[in-house]
Amino acid sequence: MKILLVFASLVAAACSEQLFVGDQVLRIMASNEEQIALLRALGEQTELQVDFWRHPASPGHPSDLRVPFPSLQAVKTLLESNGISYSIMIQDLQKLLDEEKKAMAKSRRTERSTSTFDFASYHTIDEIYDWMDTLVADHPGLVSKLQIGQSYENRSLYVLKLSTGGSNRSAIWLDTGIHSREWITQATGAWTANKIAEEYGQDPSVTAILDNMDIFLEIIANPDGFAYTHSSNRMWRKTRSINAGSHCIGVDPNRNWEAGFGGAGASRSPCSETYHGPYANSEPEVRAIVDFVTNHGNIKAFISIHSYSQLLLYPYGYTNTPVPDHEELHEIAERAVTALSSLYGTSYEYGSIYTTIYQASGTTVDWTYDQGIKYSFTFELRDTGRYGFLLPASQIIPTAQETWLALKVIMQYTLDHPY
Amino acid sequence: ELPPSHHAATRAAALAACYLSYRRGSPGRCLALQAVRSGRRQDIDGIGHKYYLELVLEDVVDKDSTVNCTAEVLHHLGNKNIAPDVQFTIEGELKNTDEADNMFYNRIKSLDKELVAENIPDNHGNISPEMEPIRLLAWVASGYVIWQNSTENTKFQLAQIKHVKQVKRNDEYLEFDYMILLHEMVSQEIIPWQMTVLWHPQHGVQVTRESRQLKH
């Protein structure tokens, strides 16, 4: 029986999504040879499209017949008028198939998630890339994976797209891990992607957001750097590109954007942690996002996540001049920070990059803001220096949970204030 | 007047907290900046910039244990080789840490071989309980290094202890040779720094030698 169901679902999967809506499976008890002959003849009537899951063999032995919805009336009338007793074994075949598919996916997910991906620990790039595929498999129709380019060392740059359909809907972008040593950010990115996928259909706010907008999440924005933090230097920040004429490697991907590029607040020296690079967008990791954002053309909120310092920042970093939308961004930041600290009392400061941390030129959100993406924010997650970049894994989930509340404020605000 | 979130205030506050931590700290008592309540900057012609701060400090081990203090930080004009002047006043009493300090002191004194350790915390942020006081001692001592090397354009944090080696002594002091990594926030540099630390429960923490190392 189970085999037949699986076969049916495979057929359905191969042909189309909803093949068996309203179809029923009848258990028929033929009491004599005459009734057996009648049933066999029923099976031959091509216009009825019935098929026997268990063929009529001999009287007293049940036979199982799948009857497509349009033929139900005719078949039942035939059985009744000939005194052939039957019962309805499966009320709606499609419903049963759907439930089974869900159960299978759930157990696959449980197996995979409990034995493979632990959100409460730090992972390698391969582990995160593998997990991304399982997230896509677990949420078909909601989560897909895009490749937006390749890193300097030819690693794939993947972005998860969370979407319920539409065509080029307005969208929200999140990225984590652009500075590879900020391990809490990639970990938070993974947790957040999973959270959004789970909350769709459950949380009214997330559901409303995804019913109207798409969310793009680049969890490992600097894969070369990230691999290097695992293999060689835990404190590596930049990309791993070779700098002509220097033995020093890498460009600061948060100084490489075309916004005040090369000005005060970045370094001209390839050996520096804030080296801006030979020219704007020289880094393929940065170029990939620039191209994506430009081609998409409909991103309304852009959130770039860093650590540490517990800050929520908005543009500008390259100049002390406030952005035109300064008051609105300040208010959003205040609300977001209030939501964040409501969970564990973690306190954040907020303000423009320039006034709150330092002058920084060529930064991501300065560029996105100047492209017209009004709601551009940078987070600096936990902590304030006790562990700094080496935040213990026990703080991953609390950090992700509290940050989630702030992200929801920003996303909901973006949904409520279209422009 | 400076908003507490302004980087000028937070940098001066971090510096003051480090200095205070060094002057009052021990393996049992480690203080860190929790919040800036208020900040004010005064530009004094011919002298430099003076910051007036109200701070809240927390005990690194017991975050709920906090203490208020006021601090004044003077960054001298011109010669960047002079450490800033820091003065502070702590409201109330700091808790007594003799028991924790003595326990650590006796533990180290009774070791057969000189203590050696590395990567505290490790790359995943883990610190074993036995190494915690070694880390707290480094935190306190790094307060001195940070104070000595800070300007208005720097904000240092202790990022990691790469290596620590106990140095045998004939007197009652404990001596540790540390190689630490300092994270400088404005330049984002990770700077290796050597520091030689002397400590005795009754005599406080002393840094007898410190030198910036070359980045690899």
Side-chain angles (χ1 to χ4, degrees):
Chain A
M1 207 6 220
K2 201 127 193 230
I3 300 172
L4 287 167
L5 269 180
V6 172
F7 179 74
S9 68
L10 282 173
V11 172
C15 307
S16 74
E17 264 308 303
Q18 309 244 286
L19 202 54
F20 306 112
V21 182
D23 293 9
Q24 291 186 346
V25 178
L26 308 177
R27 174 149 286 181
I28 306 168
M29 205 59 112
S31 48
N32 55 45
E33 284 297 341
E34 209 181 334
Q35 289 185 343
I36 297 278
L38 230 152
L39 286 175
R40 289 213 184 102
L42 182 62
E44 315 282 27
Q45 285 183 273
T46 46
E47 73 277 9
L48 288 176
Q49 296 264 288
V50 301
D51 69 67
F52 280 101
W53 283 12
R54 195 186 350 207
H55 285 272
S58 50
H61 289 95
S63 60
D64 297 333
L65 183 72
R66 182 184 68 84
V67 184
F69 180 75
S71 307
L72 272 175
Q73 191 71 45
V75 170
K76 284 178 181 175
T77 306
L78 192 91
L79 295 173
E80 280 156 19
S81 60
N82 283 281
I84 304 174
S85 63
Y86 71 94
S87 60
I88 301 172
M89 213 168 59
I90 298 175
Q91 191 79 261
D92 182 331
L93 184 55
Q94 189 58 45
K95 249 209 220 155
L96 187 66
L97 290 173
D98 289 348
E99 273 162 21
E100 209 176 55
K101 208 160 109 176
K102 254 205 282 189
M104 280 165 66
K106 187 163 184 229
S107 75
R108 237 178 38 234
R109 191 166 48 231
T110 313
E111 273 169 31
R112 239 181 289 138
S113 65
T114 54
S115 64
T116 316
F117 202 84
D118 174 13
F119 289 106
S121 63
Y122 291 113
H123 291 281
T124 64
I125 186 172
D126 289 335
E127 286 166 356
I128 294 176
Y129 277 6
D130 284 346
W131 160 80
M132 275 190 213
D133 289 336
T134 72
L135 187 74
V136 170
D138 288 349
H139 300 274
L142 180 64
V143 185
S144 57
K145 186 177 85 174
L146 316 169
Q147 182 168 348
I148 62 168
Q150 284 196 307
S151 69
Y152 183 84
E153 291 174 345
N154 289 320
R155 290 184 174 84
S156 301
L157 298 169
Y158 289 129
V159 169
L160 292 175
K161 177 181 180 183
L162 292 96
S163 173
T164 59
S167 166
N168 196 238
R169 283 181 174 168
S170 57
I172 296 162
W173 167 284
L174 286 99
D175 64 75
T176 52
I178 206 168
H179 285 144
S180 37
R181 64 190 179 197
E182 297 164 8
W183 277 18
I184 184 61
T185 69
Q186 297 95 336
T188 295
W191 184 94
T192 304
N194 185 65
K195 182 71 171 174
I196 298 172
E198 283 191 339
E199 290 294 304
Y200 177 72
Q202 309 295 323
D203 177 302
S205 173
V206 175
T207 306
I209 291 164
L210 279 173
D211 279 344
N212 293 285
M213 303 179 77
D214 293 340
I215 300 176
F216 294 99
L217 238 165
E218 187 180 15
I219 295 174
I220 303 181
N222 179 4
D224 296 349
F226 190 53
Y228 198 71
T229 60
H230 278 278
S231 66
S232 310
N233 181 352
R234 175 64 178 80
M235 296 293 183
W236 191 262
R237 166 185 168 91
K238 301 187 287 182
T239 62
R240 290 291 301 164
S241 54
I242 292 173
N243 292 310
S246 171
H247 65 281
C248 289
I249 303 232
V251 167
D252 185 340
N254 199 25
R255 299 291 186 278
N256 189 240
W257 301 71
E258 182 86 75
F261 177 83
S267 170
R268 271 177 308 166
S269 162
C271 296
S272 163
E273 295 282 23
T274 55
Y275 175 49
H276 49 56
Y279 50 89
N281 305 328
S282 62
E283 302 312 281
E285 296 82 355
V286 171
R287 171 104 245 163
I289 303 175
V290 168
D291 289 346
F292 180 85
V293 168
T294 309
N295 293 333
H296 187 281
N298 205 16
I299 294 178
K300 297 300 179 186
F302 193 104
I303 303 169
S304 195
I305 300 181
H306 291 251
S307 77
Y308 59 92
S309 285
Q310 292 173 204
L311 305 170
L312 177 49
L313 308 166
Y314 48 82
Y316 288 122
Y318 79 94
T319 171
N320 203 11
T321 307
V323 291
D325 300 294
H326 158 263
E327 274 174 33
E328 189 184 6
L329 295 183
H330 195 80
E331 208 206 289
I332 299 169
E334 182 174 21
R335 285 201 226 170
V337 157
T338 305
L340 188 153
S341 28
S342 70
L343 195 58
Y344 297 112
T346 306
S347 71
Y348 267 57
E349 293 290 352
Y350 53 98
S352 75
I353 297 169
Y354 188 101
T355 55
T356 316
I357 25 173
Y358 39 54
Q359 183 175 28
S361 61
T363 63
T364 310
V365 295
D366 280 5
W367 180 81
T368 59
Y369 182 85
D370 282 349
Q371 295 307 298
I373 302 176
K374 192 168 33 152
Y375 304 127
S376 289
F377 291 94
T378 295
F379 275 81
E380 294 279 357
L381 301 184
R382 291 194 192 182
D383 59 12
T384 54
R386 163 117 194 256
Y387 287 95
F389 300 121
L390 307 180
L391 198 69
S394 57
Q395 291 198 41
I396 294 175
I397 295 192
T399 302
Q401 287 174 327
E402 65 190 12
T403 307
W404 171 239
L405 300 182
L407 292 174
K408 276 211 288 182
V409 166
I410 298 172
M411 296 196 296
Q412 182 71 52
Y413 190 93
T414 306
L415 177 68
D416 294 338
H417 297 82
Y419 59 94
Chain B
E1 203 59 50
L2 290 168
S5 60
H6 194 284
H7 61 67
T10 51
R11 285 177 205 173
L15 163 59
C18 285
Y19 178 76
L20 198 155
S21 176
Y22 170 66
R23 294 299 307 276
R24 290 281 183 273
S26 73
R29 178 195 295 128
C30 200
L31 296 166
L33 178 68
Q34 188 189 78
V36 180
R37 301 232 317 271
S38 76
R40 192 163 58 87
R41 182 178 116 167
Q42 184 189 25
D43 295 345
I44 308 173
D45 280 339
I47 306 277
H49 298 151
K50 193 162 187 188
Y51 293 82
Y52 298 85
L53 306 157
E54 283 179 308
L55 311 173
V56 181
L57 301 179
E58 67 185 16
D59 185 313
V60 162
V61 174
D62 174 17
K63 297 253 189 76
D64 292 330
S65 170
T66 64
V67 69
N68 293 338
C69 71
T70 58
E72 287 171 22
V73 176
L74 173 62
H75 283 285
H76 298 278
L77 266 178
N79 192 345
K80 291 292 173 220
N81 288 326
I82 307 176
D85 289 343
V86 185
Q87 285 175 44
F88 62 88
T89 314
I90 300 177
E91 255 176 61
E93 286 286 309
L94 292 173
K95 72 172 200 268
N96 185 295
T97 57
D98 288 347
E99 196 183 317
D101 288 343
N102 288 325
M103 205 153 70
F104 174 66
Y105 180 80
N106 292 325
R107 198 187 104 211
I108 302 295
K109 269 291 183 189
S110 64
L111 290 174
D112 293 326
K113 273 169 52 172
E114 283 73 47
L115 181 143
V116 174
E118 43 185 41
N119 288 337
I120 303 166
D122 68 17
N123 286 351
H124 290 227
N126 302 312
I127 308 175
S128 67
E130 314 87 69
M131 286 303 137
E132 186 70 36
I134 292 285
R135 203 225 162 195
L136 296 175
L137 179 62
W139 181 279
V140 171
S142 68
Y144 173 84
V145 175
I146 291 170
W147 163 49
Q148 288 289 309
N149 291 278
S150 285
T151 70
E152 278 171 292
N153 296 316
T154 61
K155 187 159 181 272
F156 287 97
Q157 291 280 355
L158 173 64
Q160 193 181 32
I161 299 165
K162 284 309 282 180
H163 188 84
V164 59
K165 190 182 69 192
Q166 184 187 359
V167 178
K168 197 171 155 73
R169 285 184 76 89
N170 295 322
D171 58 21
E172 52 181 4
Y173 282 87
L174 295 182
E175 181 176 336
F176 296 93
D177 188 2
Y178 282 94
M179 184 63 74
I180 58 174
L181 294 179
L182 288 181
H183 173 224
E184 202 289 290
M185 188 72 75
V186 180
S187 65
Q188 289 295 340
E189 297 294 335
I190 300 285
I191 310 166
W193 217 292
Q194 183 276 334
M195 61 180 189
T196 306
V197 181
L198 237 50
W199 176 66
H200 182 278
Q202 262 93 64
H203 302 301
V205 177
Q206 254 183 288
V207 176
T208 57
R209 194 176 67 214
E210 51 101 346
S211 73
R212 183 180 178 134
Q213 307 294 299
L214 288 172
K215 206 164 85 161
H216 300 301

